[in-house]
Amino acid sequence: MFNAIGRIFRTPDLRRKLGFTLGIVALFRLGSFIPAPFVDFGNVQACLAANQSGAAGLYDLVNLFSGGALLQLSIFALGIMPYITASIIVQLLRVVIPHFETLYKEGQAGQSRLTQYTRYLTIALGVLQSTTLITVARSGALFPSSAPECSQLITNDAWYAILLMVITMTAGTGLIMWMGELITERGIGNGMSLLIFTSIAATFPGSLWAIGIARGWDVFAIVLAIGLLVVVAVVFVEQSQRRIPVQYAKRMVGRRTYGGNNTYIPIKVNMAGVVPVIFASSLLYLPALIAQFNTPAAGETPQPWVVWITNNLTQGGHPLYMLMYFLLIVGFTYFYVAITFNPDEVSENMKKYGGFIPGIRAGRPTAEYLDYVLTRITLPGSFYLGFIALIPLIAFAMVGADQNFPFGGASILIIVGVGLETVKQIDAQLQQRHYEGLLR
């Protein structure tokens, strides 16, 4: 293992790519601590210290993906979240807009156009989300604390100051997007995924330390043990796949023979990745966000629906919240898999190149068989996603580790998934140069 790591740094090309990637990651983390214009840095730090328990509530998910930059009101406050949202929207629009589906099938040229649309939508979402964040910060609702500092985060309420803050945060989103593309082109791994990985991994030490200080080191040891088991389970499931055998008939093209080989279609247990968890979390945030903006002033009686939402849909440990969260994840898993994997398209491509599944006729029977297998394998995959997402909420109720519990939900899925993919890419490049990879 250590010899393989040494070969990485002894290979000039690989060493240069790794150094470039680490340099971009360092710049990304540095920008997460630079406050935006007209932000009172002292008051922000005081509010963060008063809310060490992770009670940011509605903004936990976005703050997680920004590596804590959201609550810092930094120039990278929005993080990579606008790009993630834009990518998902463009992917879903392929089902609704035929032009997008046509571009997707055009190959490299069409993919470039879709990428450009994703960039434009990212900037538009950056403007919208930065405006919302500044409005919430000005109202004093960004932190649940009633301390006077938390309502005085912005030092200048003039229109030009607000405009400059919106431009700065949106430009920060554009810069993050550019950094991710640079890593993809000149570094190692997928740039956007690595930046998300960095943001989430950066919060782990602080979360674990907060658990040890607040709950005791015995709870800290329990959390580490649970975390190790969760990581092992996630690695096992993420690597699991159903391999459907495919045979290709021999074809004569001129004097050459093509086909005649055997391969397989890998269908992963978790085909949807972390997207259903993001969808479910975002959808559950909407009622709480609406209720927050309809909270009455001091002395006024709140409306019954606001009280019901506050009591049932804002507390992660509430049974109704857990049940709705789990059901939404299961539903979104089936929805997203149905969009991203088209059995009819796969069957048509196999038929075009002379491929068939042994015992299954080509054409419509093949598509029906693939749909049958996909439906059955998605069920345990959706339950697995729901269980992993509920781990932090169960920890809140059982261990008392509150929202600082880091080993669960979207965080561990992204950490393990990106880590495995990056190691595979490094391993492949080592095998090209030394005939031995990182892993044996």
Side-chain angles (χ1 to χ4, degrees), residues 222-237:
I222 295 175
V223 168
L224 281 183
I226 295 175
L228 182 60
L229 293 176
V230 170
V231 169
V232 171
V234 170
V235 171
F236 177 76
V237 177

PDB file of all heavy atoms in Angstrom, residues 222-237:
ATOM      1  N   ILE A 222     -18.830   5.575  20.827  1.00  0.00           N
ATOM      2  CA  ILE A 222     -19.969   4.881  20.222  1.00  0.00           C
ATOM      3  C   ILE A 222     -20.229   5.404  18.818  1.00  0.00           C
ATOM      4  O   ILE A 222     -20.492   4.633  17.883  1.00  0.00           O
ATOM      5  CB  ILE A 222     -21.223   5.046  21.106  1.00  0.00           C
ATOM      6  CG1 ILE A 222     -21.023   4.344  22.449  1.00  0.00           C
ATOM      7  CG2 ILE A 222     -22.460   4.509  20.406  1.00  0.00           C
ATOM      8  CD1 ILE A 222     -22.152   4.565  23.427  1.00  0.00           C
ATOM      9  N   VAL A 223     -20.135   6.724  18.667  1.00  0.00           N
ATOM     10  CA  VAL A 223     -20.368   7.332  17.347  1.00  0.00           C
ATOM     11  C   VAL A 223     -19.324   6.853  16.342  1.00  0.00           C
ATOM     12  O   VAL A 223     -19.648   6.535  15.186  1.00  0.00           O
ATOM     13  CB  VAL A 223     -20.353   8.871  17.460  1.00  0.00           C
ATOM     14  CG1 VAL A 223     -20.290   9.519  16.074  1.00  0.00           C
ATOM     15  CG2 VAL A 223     -21.588   9.357  18.201  1.00  0.00           C
ATOM     16  N   LEU A 224     -18.060   6.779  16.765  1.00  0.00           N
ATOM     17  CA  LEU A 224     -17.013   6.287  15.863  1.00  0.00           C
ATOM     18  C   LEU A 224     -17.258   4.830  15.468  1.00  0.00           C
ATOM     19  O   LEU A 224     -17.078   4.444  14.305  1.00  0.00           O
ATOM     20  CB  LEU A 224     -15.644   6.412  16.534  1.00  0.00           C
ATOM     21  CG  LEU A 224     -15.002   7.798  16.537  1.00  0.00           C
ATOM     22  CD1 LEU A 224     -13.619   7.721  17.183  1.00  0.00           C
ATOM     23  CD2 LEU A 224     -14.881   8.349  15.129  1.00  0.00           C
ATOM     24  N   ALA A 225     -17.691   4.016  16.426  1.00  0.00           N
ATOM     25  CA  ALA A 225     -17.967   2.606  16.119  1.00  0.00           C
ATOM     26  C   ALA A 225     -19.131   2.479  15.141  1.00  0.00           C
ATOM     27  O   ALA A 225     -19.069   1.715  14.165  1.00  0.00           O
ATOM     28  CB  ALA A 225     -18.266   1.845  17.412  1.00  0.00           C
ATOM     29  N   ILE A 226     -20.193   3.236  15.391  1.00  0.00           N
ATOM     30  CA  ILE A 226     -21.340   3.215  14.477  1.00  0.00           C
ATOM     31  C   ILE A 226     -20.917   3.719  13.100  1.00  0.00           C
ATOM     32  O   ILE A 226     -21.313   3.164  12.068  1.00  0.00           O
ATOM     33  CB  ILE A 226     -22.491   4.075  15.039  1.00  0.00           C
ATOM     34  CG1 ILE A 226     -23.026   3.465  16.321  1.00  0.00           C
ATOM     35  CG2 ILE A 226     -23.611   4.215  14.014  1.00  0.00           C
ATOM     36  CD1 ILE A 226     -24.086   4.308  17.008  1.00  0.00           C
ATOM     37  N   GLY A 227     -20.090   4.765  13.090  1.00  0.00           N
ATOM     38  CA  GLY A 227     -19.634   5.319  11.822  1.00  0.00           C
ATOM     39  C   GLY A 227     -18.843   4.320  11.006  1.00  0.00           C
ATOM     40  O   GLY A 227     -19.009   4.232   9.780  1.00  0.00           O
ATOM     41  N   LEU A 228     -17.970   3.549  11.682  1.00  0.00           N
ATOM     42  CA  LEU A 228     -17.188   2.537  10.970  1.00  0.00           C
ATOM     43  C   LEU A 228     -18.095   1.473  10.361  1.00  0.00           C
ATOM     44  O   LEU A 228     -17.909   1.068   9.199  1.00  0.00           O
ATOM     45  CB  LEU A 228     -16.190   1.896  11.934  1.00  0.00           C
ATOM     46  CG  LEU A 228     -15.263   0.833  11.331  1.00  0.00           C
ATOM     47  CD1 LEU A 228     -14.420   1.429  10.213  1.00  0.00           C
ATOM     48  CD2 LEU A 228     -14.369   0.226  12.406  1.00  0.00           C
ATOM     49  N   LEU A 229     -19.101   1.030  11.110  1.00  0.00           N
ATOM     50  CA  LEU A 229     -20.038   0.043  10.584  1.00  0.00           C
ATOM     51  C   LEU A 229     -20.829   0.593   9.409  1.00  0.00           C
ATOM     52  O   LEU A 229     -21.076  -0.113   8.419  1.00  0.00           O
ATOM     53  CB  LEU A 229     -20.992  -0.413  11.701  1.00  0.00           C
ATOM     54  CG  LEU A 229     -20.378  -1.211  12.851  1.00  0.00           C
ATOM     55  CD1 LEU A 229     -21.421  -1.514  13.919  1.00  0.00           C
ATOM     56  CD2 LEU A 229     -19.771  -2.514  12.325  1.00  0.00           C
ATOM     57  N   VAL A 230     -21.235   1.849   9.511  1.00  0.00           N
ATOM     58  CA  VAL A 230     -21.992   2.474   8.421  1.00  0.00           C
ATOM     59  C   VAL A 230     -21.138   2.568   7.160  1.00  0.00           C
ATOM     60  O   VAL A 230     -21.606   2.280   6.045  1.00  0.00           O
ATOM     61  CB  VAL A 230     -22.500   3.868   8.848  1.00  0.00           C
ATOM     62  CG1 VAL A 230     -23.074   4.621   7.650  1.00  0.00           C
ATOM     63  CG2 VAL A 230     -23.549   3.743   9.924  1.00  0.00           C
ATOM     64  N   VAL A 231     -19.877   2.961   7.308  1.00  0.00           N
ATOM     65  CA  VAL A 231     -18.984   3.075   6.147  1.00  0.00           C
ATOM     66  C   VAL A 231     -18.802   1.716   5.471  1.00  0.00           C
ATOM     67  O   VAL A 231     -18.861   1.602   4.240  1.00  0.00           O
ATOM     68  CB  VAL A 231     -17.627   3.670   6.577  1.00  0.00           C
ATOM     69  CG1 VAL A 231     -16.615   3.550   5.442  1.00  0.00           C
ATOM     70  CG2 VAL A 231     -17.792   5.129   6.968  1.00  0.00           C
ATOM     71  N   VAL A 232     -18.581   0.662   6.277  1.00  0.00           N
ATOM     72  CA  VAL A 232     -18.420  -0.679   5.708  1.00  0.00           C
ATOM     73  C   VAL A 232     -19.680  -1.099   4.954  1.00  0.00           C
ATOM     74  O   VAL A 232     -19.616  -1.640   3.840  1.00  0.00           O
ATOM     75  CB  VAL A 232     -18.087  -1.691   6.827  1.00  0.00           C
ATOM     76  CG1 VAL A 232     -18.127  -3.107   6.289  1.00  0.00           C
ATOM     77  CG2 VAL A 232     -16.719  -1.391   7.425  1.00  0.00           C
ATOM     78  N   ALA A 233     -20.848  -0.840   5.555  1.00  0.00           N
ATOM     79  CA  ALA A 233     -22.108  -1.215   4.911  1.00  0.00           C
ATOM     80  C   ALA A 233     -22.324  -0.441   3.617  1.00  0.00           C
ATOM     81  O   ALA A 233     -22.762  -1.001   2.602  1.00  0.00           O
ATOM     82  CB  ALA A 233     -23.276  -0.982   5.872  1.00  0.00           C
ATOM     83  N   VAL A 234     -22.004   0.855   3.630  1.00  0.00           N
ATOM     84  CA  VAL A 234     -22.199   1.683   2.435  1.00  0.00           C
ATOM     85  C   VAL A 234     -21.255   1.239   1.320  1.00  0.00           C
ATOM     86  O   VAL A 234     -21.662   1.153   0.152  1.00  0.00           O
ATOM     87  CB  VAL A 234     -21.991   3.168   2.784  1.00  0.00           C
ATOM     88  CG1 VAL A 234     -21.939   4.019   1.521  1.00  0.00           C
ATOM     89  CG2 VAL A 234     -23.113   3.663   3.681  1.00  0.00           C
ATOM     90  N   VAL A 235     -19.998   0.948   1.661  1.00  0.00           N
ATOM     91  CA  VAL A 235     -19.054   0.461   0.643  1.00  0.00           C
ATOM     92  C   VAL A 235     -19.558  -0.845   0.028  1.00  0.00           C
ATOM     93  O   VAL A 235     -19.520  -1.032  -1.193  1.00  0.00           O
ATOM     94  CB  VAL A 235     -17.650   0.262   1.260  1.00  0.00           C
ATOM     95  CG1 VAL A 235     -16.735  -0.458   0.276  1.00  0.00           C
ATOM     96  CG2 VAL A 235     -17.042   1.609   1.633  1.00  0.00           C
ATOM     97  N   PHE A 236     -20.065  -1.747   0.870  1.00  0.00           N
ATOM     98  CA  PHE A 236     -20.557  -3.034   0.377  1.00  0.00           C
ATOM     99  C   PHE A 236     -21.729  -2.846  -0.585  1.00  0.00           C
ATOM    100  O   PHE A 236     -21.762  -3.439  -1.670  1.00  0.00           O
ATOM    101  CB  PHE A 236     -20.977  -3.900   1.570  1.00  0.00           C
ATOM    102  CG  PHE A 236     -21.564  -5.224   1.181  1.00  0.00           C
ATOM    103  CD1 PHE A 236     -20.753  -6.264   0.754  1.00  0.00           C
ATOM    104  CD2 PHE A 236     -22.936  -5.426   1.225  1.00  0.00           C
ATOM    105  CE1 PHE A 236     -21.293  -7.486   0.388  1.00  0.00           C
ATOM    106  CE2 PHE A 236     -23.486  -6.646   0.852  1.00  0.00           C
ATOM    107  CZ  PHE A 236     -22.665  -7.674   0.437  1.00  0.00           C
ATOM    108  N   VAL A 237     -22.702  -1.998  -0.204  1.00  0.00           N
ATOM    109  CA  VAL A 237     -23.884  -1.821  -1.045  1.00  0.00           C
ATOM    110  C   VAL A 237     -23.543  -1.030  -2.301  1.00  0.00           C
ATOM    111  O   VAL A 237     -24.035  -1.337  -3.394  1.00  0.00           O
ATOM    112  CB  VAL A 237     -25.004  -1.123  -0.245  1.00  0.00           C
ATOM    113  CG1 VAL A 237     -26.225  -0.865  -1.133  1.00  0.00           C
ATOM    114  CG2 VAL A 237     -25.413  -1.973   0.951  1.00  0.00           C
TER     115      VAL A 237
END
